[in-house]
Amino acid sequence: MTARTFDNIRNFSIVAHIDHGKSTLADRLIQTTGALTAREMTEQVLDNMDIERERGITIKAQTVRLEYKAQDGKTYILNLMDTPGHVDFAYEVSRSLAACEGSLLVVDASQGVEAQTLANVYQAIDANHEIVPVLNKIDLPAADPDRIKEQIEEVIGIDASEAVPVSAKSGLNIEGVLEAIVTKLPPPKGDPDAPLKALLVDSWYDAYLGVVVLVRIIDGTMKKGQTIKMMGTNASYSLDRVGVFNPKMTELSVLGPGEVGFFTASIKEVADTRVGDTITDDRKPTAQALPGFKPVQPVVFCGLFPVDAAEFENLRAAMGKLRLNDASFSYEMETSAALGFGFRCGFLGLLHLEIIQERLEREFNLDLISTAPSVVYHLKLRDGSTIELHNPADMPDVMKIETIEEPWIRATILTPDDYLGSVLKLCQERRGVQIDLNYVGKRAMVVYDLPLNEVVFDFYDRLKSISKGYASFDYHISDYREGDLVKMSVLVNAEPVDALSMLVHRDRAEGRGRAMCEKLKELIPPHMFQIPVQAAIGGKIIARETIRALRKDVTAKCYGGDASRKRKLLDKQKEGKKRMRQFGKVDIPQEAFIAALKMDT
């Protein structure tokens, strides 16, 4: 039994920097091959979530099977994977690339190579892909295809002399892309007679069908009624239906080697279908499992709490459903004195956090408060043990800690020369260490090592604002390093608010504490008594602001008469306020939490 090549199949993904036109190119390919009629076409066909369409970004990798009659007269089956471009969703990209043999590298013909272009193309090169460069947006006045071709060769090191010039928006030269896919990308190999071996690429929950599983068949065939086995979980299922997306769900009788399709098997939990698992025949299993993917590592953690405590069970159910469709999102229960019951959630980055929060609020109608995003610290204790700290509120006594290590990232920033000074200044402010600085055409490429906890707050927003949106940013976690970190607590009316506590570098603690107190002073409404807002490290107060009391005019009903009557009423009011100050509970509005956490120092 030898592997055969399937000459009429091409599996490819589209990789590019965010906003360079991947989803638009996917739309045009679907339209040109006639997979959807003009009436059925919408913009960003493969972006099914409202949030994807609104923000104009791809979050989930999607797949579609197209049929194309090439110039050589043969009909080809093209399996297209549209992948996300944003750094937080690189995990989705790695899964899609494992299911393909080639990639279209889309580069904006006016903007050129960006940080995320590099990150995604290197992933494709690691997956041994054949890469076809595509220059998009060539109809823009600022387009300069020759300069961009040189840039691709110089920066990425792949031959761009035959890069395909297109305009995905207007549909210019889409045929050229289809011909390049057919002629330049390799066909898949596989053995139809071997035992079934398939890669589980993705899975999501459908209310009617149960779990829908996206697979790439490597060897063997998959038929309706067949009993399959997941090698990772050892669970067996009988297949209810198999088929492909073109882009509508279409059932087929059999899927063969090299094909990308789906199956359903009345599976109840997406947790049972681990991404990267190997699927084989239950009766005639394959000898060796596929290498799969490395498990996803959350890098940013934050607490999510319902505004109304009665909504806790709804939040639990919503998170369970969301986890069904997003394997990279993890959560566990936690309680907070200030916010009640909630969940500690792990995310791949800040955009991922924002998207999950927005999806919970939108799709499940929940009102949520999120605590300050924090990263995972490694604490070496004096007794020789090491623990991971996800939540600053859980930090053990300082006397027990030997050292605190924080995660550092290797960041690549591409920026026009005019903004280089501001970008370097921003990185220095964030305790960055410069590694490299060189030029890519007219733009500077800066490589910095930065502590992740300085990046999770608002680094990306600041970078975009100081470069007027022109700088691009990509990062990966490099290592853990020891740092002089302290826990800063925020006290409102002498009560610690655990949701606002954070780990900060000692040098920046005072500035951060002062800014936090000033912000809270504006955000917490005045009560009937005076409220002190303090930032503290251990027992030492480093910043304080006071919210003045509301003053009710108790002397309004005194017309004329002796001044001592007014004095008496004012003294009585003072006594009452003192008592309230002791027992008074301060209400901190939700907006105050969110605004205080988005604070910029």
Side-chain angles (χ1 to χ4, degrees):
M1 293 192 289
T2 53
R4 295 214 307 260
T5 53
F6 295 85
D7 291 336
N8 68 328
I9 299 177
R10 296 290 183 275
N11 296 321
F12 67 98
S13 60
I14 305 180
V15 293
H17 184 76
I18 190 166
D19 272 349
H20 279 199
K22 291 181 301 299
S23 296
T24 314
L25 180 61
D27 288 354
R28 290 297 86 77
L29 293 173
I30 291 168
Q31 207 172 2
T32 310
T33 53
L36 287 177
T37 62
R39 191 169 62 85
E40 290 171 315
M41 271 309 283
T42 54
E43 279 199 27
Q44 291 174 270
V45 173
L46 298 179
D47 292 347
N48 328 358
M49 287 189 257
D50 293 344
I51 195 163
E52 289 183 307
R53 288 166 187 268
E54 273 172 38
R55 288 174 176 244
I57 57 174
T58 302
I59 295 167
K60 292 289 288 176
Q62 297 290 350
T63 171
V64 61
R65 171 179 169 132
L66 310 170
E67 288 192 7
Y68 171 62
K69 196 164 184 356
Q71 288 170 3
D72 61 7
K74 288 201 312 201
T75 300
Y76 290 88
I77 290 169
L78 311 179
N79 289 312
L80 146 70
M81 301 261 183
D82 182 22
T83 60
H86 198 280
V87 58
D88 284 11
F89 305 110
Y91 177 63
E92 292 279 336
V93 180
S94 68
R95 300 195 319 211
S96 304
L97 296 179
C100 306
E101 284 79 31
S103 292
L104 296 182
L105 170 67
V106 179
V107 180
D108 186 321
S110 59
Q111 290 183 338
V113 175
E114 299 277 7
Q116 207 55 48
T117 318
L118 287 172
N120 288 341
V121 80
Y122 288 151
Q123 274 192 299
I125 291 168
D126 287 347
N128 293 325
H129 276 205
E130 188 63 44
I131 293 166
V132 173
V134 175
L135 300 182
N136 191 16
K137 309 189 188 182
I138 55 160
D139 52 348
L140 290 180
D144 187 351
D146 295 334
R147 178 174 66 82
I148 304 303
K149 280 183 189 176
E150 276 176 32
Q151 206 180 53
I152 292 173
E153 291 183 353
E154 182 190 324
V155 181
I156 301 171
I158 56 174
D159 177 23
S161 54
E162 293 183 22
V164 187
V166 300
S167 166
K169 196 164 190 183
S170 62
L172 185 70
N173 198 23
I174 297 300
E175 286 278 342
V177 177
L178 289 163
E179 282 299 319
I181 291 166
V182 168
T183 53
K184 293 182 182 166
L185 296 185
K189 295 188 173 87
D191 181 357
D193 304 319
L196 171 66
K197 183 190 274 189
L199 175 70
L200 200 159
V201 180
D202 200 1
S203 57
W204 59 93
Y205 189 78
D206 182 290
Y208 302 104
L209 304 171
V211 177
V212 180
V213 180
L214 187 67
V215 288
R216 156 72 202 267
I217 313 288
I218 310 290
D219 289 326
T221 53
M222 187 177 269
K223 303 183 189 69
K224 187 176 170 178
Q226 181 178 7
T227 306
I228 55 137
K229 179 177 167 188
M230 309 272 185
M231 292 182 84
T233 55
N234 263 338
S236 300
Y237 302 99
S238 175
L239 298 183
D240 299 337
R241 52 171 72 71
V242 296
V244 292
F245 292 100
N246 59 4
K248 297 189 284 281
M249 244 184 185
T250 309
E251 284 194 46
L252 296 178
S253 55
V254 62
L255 282 176
E259 293 197 279
V260 176
F262 73 88
F263 71 79
T264 63
S266 306
I267 304 172
K268 306 282 187 297
E269 290 275 329
V270 174
D272 300 338
T273 54
R274 284 196 211 136
V275 166
D277 200 351
T278 306
I279 297 168
T280 187
D281 192 303
D282 193 34
R283 294 193 186 87
K284 196 171 75 166
T286 183
Q288 205 174 0
L290 295 160
F293 317 115
K294 57 180 188 290
V296 60
Q297 289 293 326
V299 294
V300 177
F301 284 82
C302 94
L304 289 179
F305 294 85
V307 172
D308 176 2
E311 291 278 293
F312 175 73
E313 282 305 323
N314 297 351
L315 175 61
R316 186 204 293 266
M319 286 200 166
K321 284 180 185 158
L322 225 121
R323 175 86 175 87
L324 292 180
N325 288 350
D326 189 346
S328 53
F329 164 59
S330 58
Y331 65 93
E332 57 185 39
M333 219 180 107
E334 75 164 357
T335 57
S336 149
L339 302 172
F341 287 101
F343 292 94
R344 188 94 195 142
C345 308
F347 306 94
L348 302 179
L350 278 192
L351 180 72
H352 188 210
L353 183 159
E354 220 174 288
I355 298 286
I356 292 279
Q357 191 174 350
E358 202 164 321
R359 283 185 69 187
L360 285 168
E361 287 176 351
R362 260 195 203 185
E363 295 171 26
F364 304 100
N365 246 342
L366 294 163
D367 272 341
L368 300 174
I369 296 176
S370 66
T371 64
S374 72
V375 296
V376 183
Y377 298 95
H378 287 172
L379 270 54
K380 287 189 177 160
L381 304 181
R382 292 189 189 277
D383 62 6
S385 60
T386 304
I387 57 168
E388 282 192 355
L389 179 71
H390 293 197
N391 185 353
D394 301 336
M395 187 162 156
D397 183 3
V398 189
M399 300 308 292
K400 294 181 180 171
I401 301 170
E402 183 82 45
T403 56
I404 303 177
E405 291 182 346
E406 60 181 334
W408 280 64
I409 59 167
R410 174 68 52 95
T412 307
I413 300 168
L414 280 146
T415 175
D417 206 15
D418 307 358
Y419 310 112
L420 179 61
S422 310
V423 169
L424 294 177
K425 184 167 175 261
L426 175 68
C427 292
Q428 294 302 132
E429 279 172 8
R430 300 299 169 100
R431 301 193 280 132
V433 179
Q434 189 174 323
I435 303 298
D436 192 12
L437 170 59
N438 52 39
Y439 278 82
V440 176
K442 287 182 183 168
R443 287 177 317 158
M445 184 164 107
V446 193
V447 180
Y448 255 90
D449 275 359
L450 287 156
L452 182 60
N453 93 348
E454 298 287 353
V455 175
V456 296
F457 271 94
D458 56 356
F459 183 83
Y460 194 63
D461 298 346
R462 287 289 310 279
L463 181 67
K464 284 290 180 199
S465 65
I466 61 176
S467 64
K468 300 195 168 47
Y470 285 111
S472 65
F473 169 64
D474 175 63
Y475 68 87
H476 62 267
I477 290 200
S478 55
D479 58 354
Y480 271 78
R481 300 183 195 174
E482 197 178 310
D484 184 11
L485 300 167
V486 289
K487 178 186 170 185
M488 186 180 83
S489 313
V490 175
L491 308 160
V492 175
N493 199 17
E495 289 288 323
V497 182
D498 53 356
L500 294 176
S501 60
M502 59 179 85
L503 277 182
V504 288
H505 195 267
R506 198 180 293 277
D507 298 346
R508 301 200 58 191
E510 199 171 318
R512 185 74 52 93
R514 190 163 289 139
M516 182 73 95
C517 291
E518 283 168 10
K519 193 96 174 193
L520 286 171
K521 184 185 176 182
E522 292 165 27
L523 296 164
I524 298 174
H527 287 54
M528 294 300 286
F529 49 91
Q530 206 176 8
I531 305 167
V533 178
Q534 298 159 312
I537 295 173
K540 184 185 173 196
I541 303 292
I542 54 168
R544 171 184 169 132
E545 291 288 335
T546 306
I547 299 167
R548 291 189 57 187
L550 272 175
R551 181 149 186 261
K552 184 183 172 195
D553 190 359
V554 288
T555 59
K557 57 180 186 275
C558 288
Y559 293 107
D562 188 359
S564 61
R565 282 181 64 204
K566 288 187 179 178
R567 181 79 273 136
K568 204 170 167 186
L569 285 167
L570 287 167
D571 287 345
K572 196 173 170 188
Q573 182 186 35
K574 213 172 183 179
E575 278 301 309
K577 282 192 176 178
K578 223 182 222 166
R579 245 196 342 275
M580 282 179 79
R581 162 96 179 73
Q582 279 170 334
F583 306 114
K585 188 172 183 305
V586 180
D587 290 320
I588 305 177
Q590 181 193 355
E591 297 76 47
F593 274 105
I594 294 164
L597 301 175
K598 283 190 172 167
M599 180 193 62
D600 173 22
T601 56

